């Protein structure tokens, strides 16, 4: 329980006070609480002796005689009905107006017990919150140099209470050496008082030796009475999970980029395993793939033809034993893609890899020292899906390359065989010719033409032996060629892609099994089906044929038509092969079923469309809840900037003035993160704020307003959303500021050239506690004070090297605040851009500046128009100081000058002995100037309008009428309102300040 909560509770504890004369024991004074506990009234009790009346002691026997003070002790109070009430009583001897007396103070024992129970319950709730939130606290007293680490501070890193001394030097030794110097610098600035806050992230060594990520945030602590304090309080938050998530996403993105580059499957598999192990901190990771994806055959030891494609371990050694294969087979047989835990080996987890047909093609198995959480499981499932696609894509490419290579070898073998047969026939003819015989084969005509001449027996025998040798050579060549063709056929038939060969005229003569199963035709059907019949779009077939027969390769997504008429989305590859002269004699077709990919694309496009629609709705919501213009307030010049770091942001603000109450309210909220989710959370928080804003106008209590906001938002928002909020309420009639803060950035007050943050007030994030308590401070504003309300992005900026700019730099910019508030505000925006390097900043950015200026009156007179310029310059300077725009100022100056000329020339008839009296008033909303001449006056309707009546004036052609009424027309057009007295010799000019727009990134121009 916070001290302010304890103080609020103590208000409801009755504290009785009784003053008793030490000599007479007569009761001299009784307060209301004492009388209430005695079930009586102060008047009834005063003047009675204490014995037996309020004290259980007998008459004349006082147990507290003497001058010693009696410490708090358990006693009894006698009530009016004679019953006794258990109390804790303190007695202090003193004197009242020179008369010795006792001052007794007491309170009910039951109140103390209830207070103790409440503190215990609050402590238990705080302990639970700190444990669940993985937080710890340290507290430091600058005066006594005492440092305190609470038990959660030790426990969150696995340490026991007091495992290391409570001093900064010992603690810094546990900070990672890469972060130690920067953390020590930030900490020293905070502890020494150079900065009022402390905010940094670093790695911290656990007791186990492993490192965790911690974000530390500290502030000065304010006492209950609101006075200054030398105590510093810092919260440590474990952000290791956020850092692990960031690391996993970076590894996955890097993996996907590297997998796009051509490489063997084994190299890609090793990269996947290494990524799995690094991203999930597992001991080992293995990738197993069906053999035909690696070009391997099944074996008796591996009945599923499983082969290990890659392995990655901490030590580089294979840690899997015989259990691995049986577990992997179980993963392969599972109907679920994963994860699957090993029954007899708790550290093993497997994810099934699926092919395009939904069947298992492999398994990703890892060994982890503990159970995988849901986040890591989802991450591994996404890697398993990526791995499946890599295997399938790699296999399709390898099969196609192998099939084309084998076909080329087959064609070469067949060409070689025909050439060898021709050589044998030529040899036979040469042998016969050498023997003087006629040729056996007519090579110029029919290839089977035989020799019919007569030979001797010896010649025939020699020729027969030679022919037999040649025939054996030919037979061996034919056998080898046939074996090669069988191997090619087996390889092509085992491909997961459809492969076919056709003539250039469009008839198939070779088709693999996948080709027939994809299209639903039998081999016989396809042999008599022209190619164009399987295309659902004839133009695809025409384009393919034209490309391939011209020597090119056709690569394109297409839509094929199955036998049953179903449309099959496929990726089609086609290329022609040529004869020895280079003429195309056939086409090789390869088709890959991309149905699953198209379905995924459809789902992705649907999801993208849904996200775009959600983004559109969120943008509409943001346009509705983000204020676009600033109301004109008589006592304040106000400027605002809103700049989300993405299209959508988590900041929101409200600048409101009550219709009936003369109050100004500024609310600034900041939801965690940025983008779509933060914008939706901000929209919800803005709606909750609108619901309670009337309560704030009525009560004027910013602390109660924040309490209502926190409770409502907790009931409606996600559990992990804890926005910050700052609320200011200004009494416009008195210039009194009240403010409360829900752990947001405290506004700056700029006064007399010095920028100081407002005093801290109690309060945690919105929805952090079910029954929150917020403090409220109050102060009086002085004329020309400026307030700057800002989001945390402004003080968390980094320069081009990634170094955070100090708060001192920001404060030095604020202390340059001088003169016109709008001009300074633009200057501040420009300087912030220079510090950051560009806009937008790394986080959503909101800035609101308020300048308090009290209204001002002025009076003067002039006898001649020549004196006017001096007075006009003074009025223009006033308008500049009260933040009127240049256009507003110049139009006002022109209009009032015309009225001044009319007063002098037409009213006073240019008589310098007569005065023109001028009186005026200016505030941050308008300027009012009244001019009174000494003339007889005029009626406005008697003056001819020189614009609408120009033809009438030209017809009369009276010289002075051409300019008559010109000044009045200009004044009517340039001023907000003109009021004339009945006589017509006094005119009041009113210029209302226009509303200012909130500055956005598209409106910034320097």
């Amino acid at each position: 329980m916070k001290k302010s909560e304890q103080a609020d509770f103590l208000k409801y504890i009755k504290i009785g006070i009784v003053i008793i004369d030490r000599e007479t024991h007569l009761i001299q004074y009784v307060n209301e609480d004492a009388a209430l506990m005695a079930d009586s009234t102060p008047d009834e009790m005063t003047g009675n002796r204490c014995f037996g009346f309020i004290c259980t002691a007998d008459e004349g026997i006082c147990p507290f005689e003497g001058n010693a003070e009696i410490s708090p002790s358990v006693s009894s109070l006698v009530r009016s009905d004679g019953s006794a009430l258990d109390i804790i009583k303190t007695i202090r001897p003193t004197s009242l107006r020179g008369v010795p007396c006792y001052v007794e103070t007491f309170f009910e024992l039951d109140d103390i017990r209830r207070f103790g129970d409440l503190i215990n319950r609050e402590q238990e709730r705080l302990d639970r919150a700190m444990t669940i939130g993985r937080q710890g606290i340290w507290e430091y007293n600058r005066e006594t140099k005492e440092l305190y680490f609470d038990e959660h501070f030790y426990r969150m890193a696995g340490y026991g209470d007091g495992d290391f001394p409570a001093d900064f030097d010992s603690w810094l030794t546990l900070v990672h050496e890469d972060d130690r110097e920067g953390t020590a610098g930030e900490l020293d600035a905070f502890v020494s008082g150079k900065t009022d806050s402390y905010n940094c992230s670093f790695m911290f060594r656990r007791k186990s030796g492993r490192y965790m990520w911690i974000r530390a945030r500290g502030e000065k602590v304010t006492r209950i009475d609101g006075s200054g304090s030398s105590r510093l309080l810092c919260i440590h938050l474990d952000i290791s999970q956020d850092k692990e998530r960031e690391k996993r996403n970076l590894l996955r993105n890097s993996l996907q980029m590297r997998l796009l580059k051509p490489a063997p499957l084994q190299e890609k598999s090793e990269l996947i395993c290494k990524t799995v192990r690094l991203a999930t901190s597992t001991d080992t990771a293995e990738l197993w793939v069906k053999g035909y994806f690696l070009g391997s055959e099944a074996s008796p030891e591996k009945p599923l033809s499983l082969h290990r494609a890659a392995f990655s371990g901490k030590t580089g050694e294979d840690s899997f034993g015989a259990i691995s294969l049986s577990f992997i087979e179980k993963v392969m047989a599972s109907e679920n893609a994963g994860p699957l835990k090993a029954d007899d080996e708790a550290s093993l987890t497997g994810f099934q890899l699926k092919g395009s047909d939904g069947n298992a093609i492999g398994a990703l198995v890892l060994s982890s020292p503990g159970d995988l959480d849901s986040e890591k499981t989802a991450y591994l499932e996404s890697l398993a899906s990526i791995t499946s696609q890599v295997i399938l894509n790699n296999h399709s490419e390898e099969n196609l390359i192998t099939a084309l290579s084998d076909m080329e070898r087959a064609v070469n073998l067949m060409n070689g065989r025909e050439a060898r047969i021709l050589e044998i026939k030529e040899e036979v003819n040469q042998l016969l010719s050498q023997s003087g015989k006629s040729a056996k084969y007519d090579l110029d005509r029919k290839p089977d033409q035989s020799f019919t001449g007569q030979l001797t027996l010896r010649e025939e025998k020699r020729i027969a032996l030679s022919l037999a040798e040649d025939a054996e050579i030919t037979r061996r060549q034919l056998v080898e060629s046939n074996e090669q063709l069988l191997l090619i056929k087996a390889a092509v038939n085992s491909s997961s892609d459809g492969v076919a060969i056709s003539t250039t005229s469009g008839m198939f003569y070779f088709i693999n099994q996948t080709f027939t199963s994809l299209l639903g035709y039998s081999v016989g059907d396809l042999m008599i089906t022209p190619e164009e019949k399987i295309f659902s779009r004839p133009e695809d077939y025409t384009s393919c044929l034209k490309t391939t027969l011209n020597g090119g390769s056709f690569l394109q997504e297409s839509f094929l038509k199955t036998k049953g008429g179903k449309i099959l989305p496929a990726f089609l590859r086609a290329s022609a092969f040529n004869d020895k002269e280079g003429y195309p004699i056939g086409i090789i077709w390869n088709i890959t079923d991309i149905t699953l990919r198209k379905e995924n694309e459809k789902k992705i496009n649907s999801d993208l469309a849904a996200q775009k629609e959600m983004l559109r709705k969120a943008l509409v919501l943001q346009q509705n809840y983000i204020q676009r213009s600033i109301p004109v307030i008589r006592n304040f010049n106000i400027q605002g900037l809103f700049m989300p770091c993405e299209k959508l942001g988590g900041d929101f603000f409200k600048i409101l003035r009550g219709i009936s109450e003369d109050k100004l309210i500024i609310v600034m909220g900041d939801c965690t993160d940025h983008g779509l989710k933060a914008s939706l959370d901000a929209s919800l928080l803005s709606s909750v704020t609108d619901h309670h804003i009337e309560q704030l106008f009525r009560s004027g209590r910013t602390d109660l307003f924040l309490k209502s906001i926190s409770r409502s938002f907790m009931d409606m928002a996600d559990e992990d959303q804890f926005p910050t909020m700052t609320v200011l309420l200004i009494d416009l009639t008195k210039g009194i500021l009240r403010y409360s803060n829900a752990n947001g950035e405290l506004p700056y007050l700029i006064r007399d050239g010095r920028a100081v943050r407002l005093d801290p007030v109690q309060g945690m994030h919105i929805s952090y506690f079910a029954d929150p308590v917020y403090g409220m401070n109050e102060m009086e504003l002085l004329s020309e004070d400026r307030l700057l309300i800002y989001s945390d992005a402004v003080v968390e900026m980094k320069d081009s090297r990634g170094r955070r700019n100090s708060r001192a730099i920001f404060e030095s910019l604020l202390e340059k605040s001088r003169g016109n508030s709008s001009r300074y505000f633009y200057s501040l925006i420009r300087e912030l851009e220079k510090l950051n390097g560009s806009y937008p900043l790394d986080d959503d950015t909101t800035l609101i500046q308020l300048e308090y200026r009290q209204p001002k009156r002025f009076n003067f007179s002039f006898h001649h128009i020549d004196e006017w310029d001096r007075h006009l310059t003074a009025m223009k300077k006033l308008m500049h100081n009260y933040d009127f725009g240049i256009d507003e100022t110049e139009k006002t100056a022109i209009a009032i000058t015309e009225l001044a000329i009319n007063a002098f020339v037409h009213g006073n008839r240019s008589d310098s002995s007569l005065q023109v009296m001028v009186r005026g008033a200016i505030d941050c909303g308008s300027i009012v100037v009244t001019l009174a001449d000494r003339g007889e006056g005029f009626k406005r309707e008697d003056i001819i309008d020189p614009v609408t009546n120009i033809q009438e004036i030209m017809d009369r052609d009276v010289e002075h009428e051409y300019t008559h009424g010109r000044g009045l027309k200009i004044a009517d057009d340039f001023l907000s309102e003109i009021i004339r007295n009945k006589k017509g010799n006094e005119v009041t000019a009113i210029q209302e300040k226009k509303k200012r727009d909130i500055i956005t990134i598209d409106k910034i121009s320097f």
Side-chain angles (χ1 to χ4, degrees):
M1 178 184 272
K2 298 287 186 291
K3 288 186 176 180
S4 60
E5 292 176 301
Q6 297 173 20
D8 290 340
F9 187 80
L10 286 171
K11 294 177 184 177
Y12 301 100
I13 295 180
K14 297 185 291 293
I15 301 177
I17 302 174
V18 176
I19 300 177
I20 301 172
D21 189 305
R22 289 171 61 183
E23 295 179 359
T24 65
H25 292 279
L26 292 176
I27 299 174
Q28 303 294 317
Y29 169 79
V30 180
N31 75 338
E32 290 287 347
D33 285 345
L36 188 62
M37 283 188 272
D39 194 20
S40 183
T41 65
D43 291 341
E44 290 175 352
M45 297 176 67
T46 303
N48 291 287
R49 285 171 63 83
C50 61
F51 298 114
F53 189 76
I54 62 171
C55 179
T56 57
D58 293 334
E59 178 71 32
I61 305 174
C62 181
F64 303 118
E65 295 288 356
N67 293 320
E69 180 177 325
I70 307 301
S71 301
S73 58
V74 178
S75 184
S76 297
L77 173 69
V78 178
R79 309 184 73 186
S80 61
D81 60 0
S83 61
L85 178 69
D86 291 335
I87 59 174
I88 300 291
K89 181 160 66 174
T90 302
I91 300 178
R92 178 176 298 169
T94 184
S95 61
L96 182 63
R97 292 188 292 274
V99 178
C101 59
Y102 293 118
V103 176
E104 295 187 7
T105 57
F106 48 86
F107 40 84
E108 291 186 38
L109 188 59
D110 286 345
D111 281 348
I112 298 304
R113 289 171 179 155
R114 286 194 297 272
F115 185 54
D117 291 342
L118 180 61
I119 290 176
N120 290 336
R121 286 198 302 273
E122 291 295 329
Q123 185 61 46
E124 289 175 3
R125 187 170 70 172
L126 178 61
D127 287 344
R128 287 197 300 272
M130 295 292 286
T131 302
I132 294 171
R134 306 189 306 279
Q135 297 179 0
I137 293 175
W138 60 257
E139 188 176 338
Y140 179 71
N141 190 313
R142 284 177 176 164
E143 294 177 356
T144 64
K145 310 301 182 185
E146 290 177 330
L147 178 63
Y148 165 73
F149 295 157
D150 78 338
E151 57 180 319
H152 301 285
F153 184 88
Y154 287 101
R155 198 184 304 161
M156 67 185 293
Y159 294 98
D161 291 353
D163 275 3
F164 54 85
D167 61 72
F168 289 128
D169 291 338
S170 300
W171 174 79
L172 278 171
T173 61
L174 300 175
V175 176
H176 196 282
E177 58 181 8
D178 293 344
D179 300 329
R180 193 173 297 154
E181 183 178 349
T183 303
E186 295 270 358
L187 183 64
D188 179 66
F190 180 48
V191 171
S192 63
K194 294 178 182 177
T195 60
D196 291 335
S197 63
Y198 169 54
N199 193 342
C200 67
S201 301
F202 50 84
M203 286 190 290
F204 188 77
R205 188 169 73 243
R206 300 177 187 268
K207 188 171 184 177
S208 62
R210 301 182 68 179
Y211 280 90
M212 64 188 295
W213 273 96
I214 285 178
R215 181 175 182 179
R217 184 165 186 171
E219 296 282 351
K220 284 196 307 184
V221 179
T222 304
R223 295 190 178 101
I224 297 174
D225 60 5
S227 62
S229 173
S230 61
R231 291 171 55 239
L232 309 177
L233 184 68
C234 180
I235 295 178
H236 279 198
L237 177 63
D238 182 359
I239 59 170
S240 301
Q241 291 183 0
D242 296 337
K243 290 293 184 177
E244 284 294 321
R245 189 181 301 113
E246 181 182 337
K247 170 188 169 185
R248 287 196 294 269
N249 291 337
L250 287 173
L251 285 169
R252 179 171 57 193
N253 294 341
S254 173
L255 173 66
Q256 288 176 319
M257 293 299 295
R258 294 175 71 179
L259 289 177
L260 292 174
K261 299 177 181 179
L265 178 58
Q266 185 172 359
E267 183 178 326
K268 292 182 178 181
S269 300
E270 290 173 354
L271 184 61
I272 290 169
C273 286
K274 185 177 180 180
T275 301
V276 167
R277 189 175 62 79
L278 293 176
T280 59
S281 300
T282 53
D283 293 334
T284 49
E286 289 198 4
L287 178 61
W288 289 74
V289 182
K290 279 192 174 181
Y292 63 83
F293 286 102
L294 297 171
S296 305
E297 295 296 327
S299 65
E301 293 78 21
K302 299 174 181 175
L304 291 179
S305 184
L306 285 171
H307 294 259
R308 192 172 71 178
F311 165 82
S312 178
K314 287 184 177 180
T315 61
E317 299 176 358
D318 190 345
S319 63
F320 283 124
I323 190 173
S324 299
L325 187 56
S326 62
F327 175 61
I328 293 162
E329 292 172 352
K330 184 178 179 180
V331 175
M332 294 288 291
S334 173
E335 295 182 359
N336 189 8
L340 184 66
K341 299 290 291 185
D343 296 333
D344 49 358
E345 185 63 48
S347 64
L348 291 179
T349 306
F351 295 83
Q352 189 184 99
L353 309 180
K354 288 186 177 293
S356 56
D357 57 359
N359 294 323
I361 61 173
L364 179 64
V365 186
L366 53 101
S367 174
S368 174
D371 290 336
L372 297 172
D373 57 31
S374 59
E375 194 169 329
K376 285 186 179 180
T377 299
Y379 181 82
L380 288 167
E381 287 175 345
S382 69
L383 286 185
S385 176
I386 293 171
T387 304
S388 300
Q389 197 60 44
V390 168
I391 294 171
L392 292 173
N393 291 344
N394 199 81
H395 181 60
S396 298
E397 294 172 2
E398 289 180 353
N399 280 347
L400 180 62
I401 293 171
T402 302
L404 292 175
S405 175
D406 289 343
M407 288 179 184
E408 184 178 359
R409 288 172 59 198
V411 170
N412 291 337
L413 285 171
M414 294 176 70
N415 290 339
R417 181 191 63 187
E418 292 174 358
R420 181 58 182 152
I421 290 172
L422 184 62
E423 289 175 0
I424 291 172
K425 289 179 180 179
E426 289 176 348
E427 282 185 31
V428 170
N429 286 347
Q430 288 177 0
L431 290 172
L432 291 174
S433 176
Q434 291 173 2
S435 304
K437 307 295 183 181
S438 300
K440 179 177 177 64
Y441 302 105
D442 187 356
L443 300 179
D444 294 330
R445 292 199 300 268
K446 296 180 180 180
D448 57 348
Q449 184 72 30
S450 303
F451 172 74
T452 56
Q454 298 294 321
L455 295 173
T456 64
L457 182 62
R458 183 175 180 181
E459 288 173 337
E460 288 180 352
K461 185 176 180 180
R462 181 168 56 81
I463 291 171
L465 287 173
S466 176
L467 288 174
E469 290 177 358
D470 290 340
E472 178 61 22
I473 292 172
T474 302
R475 186 188 69 78
R476 284 199 303 270
Q477 289 176 339
L478 287 172
V479 169
E480 290 175 0
S481 177
N482 190 51
E483 288 177 350
Q484 293 289 341
L485 287 173
L486 289 174
L487 287 174
I488 293 170
K489 184 176 180 180
V492 173
N493 277 329
S494 66
S495 173
S496 60
D497 290 347
V499 180
I501 303 175
S502 72
T503 64
T504 55
S505 61
M507 298 302 295
F508 292 108
Y509 61 85
F510 173 81
I511 302 155
N512 78 339
Q513 296 173 359
T514 306
F515 199 95
T516 59
S517 62
L518 288 176
L519 297 177
Y521 289 93
S522 67
V523 175
D525 290 339
L526 282 172
M527 289 295 186
I528 59 173
T529 301
E531 298 159 342
E532 68 268 19
K533 295 296 183 183
I534 69 172
F535 284 87
S536 65
R537 298 188 303 203
E539 61 271 19
D540 285 357
Y541 173 71
T542 304
S543 175
C544 176
L545 204 63
K546 181 179 179 180
T547 301
T548 53
L549 295 183
N550 286 331
S553 294
F554 184 81
L555 302 169
Q556 180 179 305
E557 288 185 8
S558 185
F559 294 93
L560 306 182
K561 187 162 56 178
T562 66
K563 185 177 182 180
K566 181 181 176 182
I567 302 301
L568 176 73
F571 189 80
L572 177 64
R573 305 177 185 87
S575 57
F577 58 92
N578 304 328
D579 59 13
K580 288 187 292 186
E581 283 76 23
Y583 294 103
I585 58 175
I587 300 173
I588 299 175
W589 305 81
N590 181 280
I591 59 173
T592 302
D593 182 5
I594 58 173
T595 302
L596 183 60
R597 194 180 84 188
K598 284 294 182 183
E599 290 175 354
N600 290 336
E601 286 178 358
K602 184 178 179 181
K603 184 177 183 303
I604 290 171
N605 290 333
S606 175
D607 292 343
L608 285 174
Q611 290 180 4
K612 286 181 180 178
E613 177 62 15
M614 185 178 291
L615 182 63
R616 185 190 68 79
K617 291 180 179 178
L619 283 169
V620 172
L621 280 175
Q622 181 171 275
Q623 290 170 357
N624 289 333
Y625 72 74
I626 292 299
Q627 197 166 332
R628 296 297 170 187
S629 61
I630 301 169
V632 175
I633 308 295
R634 299 296 180 188
N635 298 2
F636 282 91
N637 294 319
I638 308 175
Q639 295 81 31
L641 165 76
F642 174 70
M643 192 188 308
C645 63
E646 299 175 7
K647 283 188 177 181
L648 296 168
D651 285 6
F652 86 94
F653 62 91
K654 294 182 183 296
I655 306 172
L656 306 170
R657 178 182 177 177
I659 297 174
S660 57
E661 280 82 28
D662 209 7
K663 296 175 182 175
L664 174 64
I665 290 175
I666 299 95
V667 179
M668 180 178 290
D670 185 359
C671 292
T672 309
D673 211 341
H674 40 77
L676 178 59
K677 185 180 185 305
S679 176
L680 294 176
D681 289 332
S683 174
L684 174 61
L685 185 57
S686 177
S687 299
V688 172
T689 303
D690 291 339
H691 181 71
H692 293 283
I693 205 74
E694 185 62 29
Q695 165 199 341
L696 180 55
F697 273 120
R698 289 199 307 269
S699 69
R701 292 286 300 274
T702 55
D703 52 342
L704 299 181
F705 171 73
L706 276 182
K707 185 172 185 176
S708 299
I709 294 290
S710 183
R711 285 176 169 175
S712 298
F713 191 75
M714 174 176 277
D715 293 337
M716 302 170 68
D718 295 339
E719 292 182 0
D720 60 349
Q721 179 58 260
F722 304 108
T724 63
M725 183 177 284
T726 303
V727 182
L728 294 86
L729 183 143
I730 302 173
D731 186 327
L732 296 176
T733 59
K734 300 177 181 177
I736 300 298
L737 165 67
R738 292 178 179 176
Y739 64 94
S740 297
N741 188 26
N743 221 28
E745 292 290 343
L746 285 167
Y748 272 97
L749 171 68
I750 301 99
R751 176 180 289 175
D752 298 329
R754 186 164 176 264
V756 180
R757 281 199 293 173
L758 298 183
D759 290 337
V761 285
Q762 177 188 2
M764 286 299 289
H765 292 75
I766 296 294
S767 77
Y768 197 82
F769 291 122
D771 189 19
V773 175
Y774 294 96
M776 181 177 74
N777 282 356
E778 184 176 297
M779 64 175 291
E780 181 180 0
L781 294 176
L782 303 180
S783 186
E784 299 188 24
D785 277 353
R786 290 187 182 178
L787 289 169
L788 190 81
I789 306 105
Y790 55 96
S791 57
D792 57 4
V794 177
V795 292
E796 293 178 354
M797 288 188 306
K798 296 179 180 179
D799 61 16
S800 58
R801 298 183 181 180
R803 299 173 301 187
R804 178 175 294 178
N805 292 298
S806 70
R807 186 179 287 272
I809 296 176
F810 179 56
E811 291 175 355
S812 69
L813 294 179
L814 300 183
E815 291 175 352
K816 294 177 182 178
S817 173
R818 295 289 189 278
N820 181 275
S821 58
S822 288
R823 184 175 298 176
Y824 164 71
F825 192 67
Y826 268 96
S827 174
L828 176 62
I829 295 172
R830 182 168 56 249
E831 292 300 324
L832 291 177
E833 182 189 33
K834 289 179 181 178
L835 285 177
N836 191 64
S838 65
Y839 278 131
L841 307 185
D842 292 339
D843 198 359
D844 304 329
T845 307
T846 305
L847 279 176
I848 299 172
Q849 178 182 255
L850 294 90
E851 181 188 42
Y852 179 53
R853 279 189 179 269
Q854 295 177 340
K856 189 170 186 177
R857 295 184 178 276
F858 54 89
N859 297 281
F860 60 89
S861 64
F862 64 93
H863 290 81
H864 196 280
I865 197 64
D866 292 342
E867 303 170 33
W868 174 251
D869 284 346
R870 174 168 54 87
H871 300 300
L872 181 65
T873 301
M875 280 192 290
K876 289 173 69 173
K877 184 176 181 180
L878 269 179
M879 293 185 73
H880 175 79
N881 290 339
Y882 278 82
D883 197 36
F884 281 80
I886 294 176
D887 184 61
E888 294 169 326
T889 302
E890 292 303 322
K891 283 185 176 180
T892 304
I894 292 170
I896 295 178
T897 298
E898 292 293 338
L899 296 177
I901 293 172
N902 283 343
F904 174 71
V905 175
H906 301 293
N908 289 351
R909 303 296 182 182
S910 300
D911 186 349
S912 299
S913 66
L914 300 177
Q915 283 184 326
V916 177
M917 303 298 298
V918 181
R919 63 182 184 275
I922 188 170
D923 58 31
C924 298
S926 65
I927 181 170
V928 179
V929 181
T930 300
L931 297 96
D933 58 53
R934 295 292 184 265
E936 297 177 357
F938 73 99
K939 292 182 179 180
R940 178 67 178 89
E941 56 269 22
D942 294 340
I943 306 301
I944 298 175
D945 189 325
V947 176
T948 58
N949 299 287
I950 185 64
Q951 187 60 48
E952 181 183 344
I953 295 172
M954 293 176 66
D955 291 342
R956 285 202 299 267
D957 197 25
V958 179
E959 183 177 352
H960 76 272
E961 287 188 354
Y962 284 103
T963 58
H964 200 58
R966 180 184 64 86
L968 297 179
K969 176 62 176 174
I970 290 173
D972 288 341
D973 291 343
F974 280 8
L975 295 172
S976 303
E977 185 180 0
I978 297 178
I979 302 173
R980 295 178 176 86
N981 67 350
K982 189 174 182 179
K983 183 178 180 181
N985 68 336
E986 182 177 287
V987 61
T988 299
I990 303 173
Q991 187 71 283
E992 298 282 351
K993 185 186 290 185
K994 295 179 181 178
K995 283 186 177 181
R996 300 291 192 258
D997 289 337
I998 296 295
I999 300 170
T1000 55
I1001 191 168
D1002 55 315
K1003 296 180 181 177
I1004 295 177
S1005 58
F1006 301 130

